[in-house]
Amino acid sequence: HLFAVALIALASTAFAQDTWEWLGPEYTNTAVIAVDADGAIFIAGLYMGVQVSEDEGATWTPVDGPSAPTEMVATPIGTVVCTDNWNYGVCVTADKGATWDQVSVYAEDEWVSQLAVHPLTGDLYAAVNNEGGLHYSYDGAYHWQPVAASPMCV
């Protein structure tokens, strides 16, 4: 019963916000959001590309880069990494979206379906479809290694 009470208290706290403030640009088809260590907010969606705000959402700047991101994460070392519906591998920026590198995780024709940042180490993980398995990067997505115990990586 104590667990149920704790769960109810948690849920009521999460839904306690009475109002929400619109921070996005006028038109968005936002599918993914990431916030980097400096507080820059990155949003992206199908056919809208990537936009970034460095002033807590007051203004938004479209950046040249992935056109249809489906996953996006910010790493503790300063990179923002995303997948893209139209490109293989991952797209990586270390300069708030001014430039992007396309990096292969496993193979040239891979499709990365999920990204996650380890909460303790800051390592980045990528799930690769088509027998690619699970891979990790310790340098913000520029170099990848298979996770030894991952199915389909051995």
Side-chain angles (χ1 to χ4, degrees):
H1 294 296
L2 184 58
F3 177 74
V5 170
L7 189 58
I8 291 170
L10 242 167
S12 64
T13 303
F15 294 107
Q17 179 140 357
D18 292 332
T19 61
W20 290 83
E21 183 180 343
W22 178 257
L23 295 178
E26 188 173 318
Y27 167 78
T28 67
N29 184 18
T30 304
V32 293
I33 301 171
V35 180
D36 74 7
D38 297 328
I41 305 167
F42 291 77
I43 63 171
L46 189 60
Y47 305 117
M48 70 173 270
V50 178
Q51 296 191 34
V52 64
S53 175
E54 295 185 65
D55 56 9
E56 298 179 347
T59 59
W60 293 89
T61 304
V63 297
D64 287 333
S67 61
T70 55
E71 288 281 319
M72 184 181 288
V73 296
T75 68
I77 63 171
T79 59
V80 173
V81 184
C82 68
T83 60
D84 189 358
N85 252 359
W86 310 119
N87 293 303
Y88 295 117
V90 294
C91 300
V92 185
T93 184
D95 56 11
K96 308 270 189 260
T99 61
W100 293 83
D101 294 310
Q102 187 172 345
V103 179
S104 178
V105 173
Y106 171 72
E108 280 188 30
D109 62 347
E110 70 200 4
W111 183 65
V112 177
S113 61
Q114 298 288 315
L115 296 170
V117 176
H118 192 286
L120 300 178
T121 66
D123 290 345
L124 179 62
Y125 288 82
V128 181
N129 288 358
N130 300 332
E131 299 182 12
L134 184 64
H135 294 258
Y136 77 97
S137 172
Y138 59 86
D139 66 357
Y142 292 104
H143 300 92
W144 294 88
Q145 300 176 57
V147 173
S150 173
M152 296 192 230
C153 280
V154 291

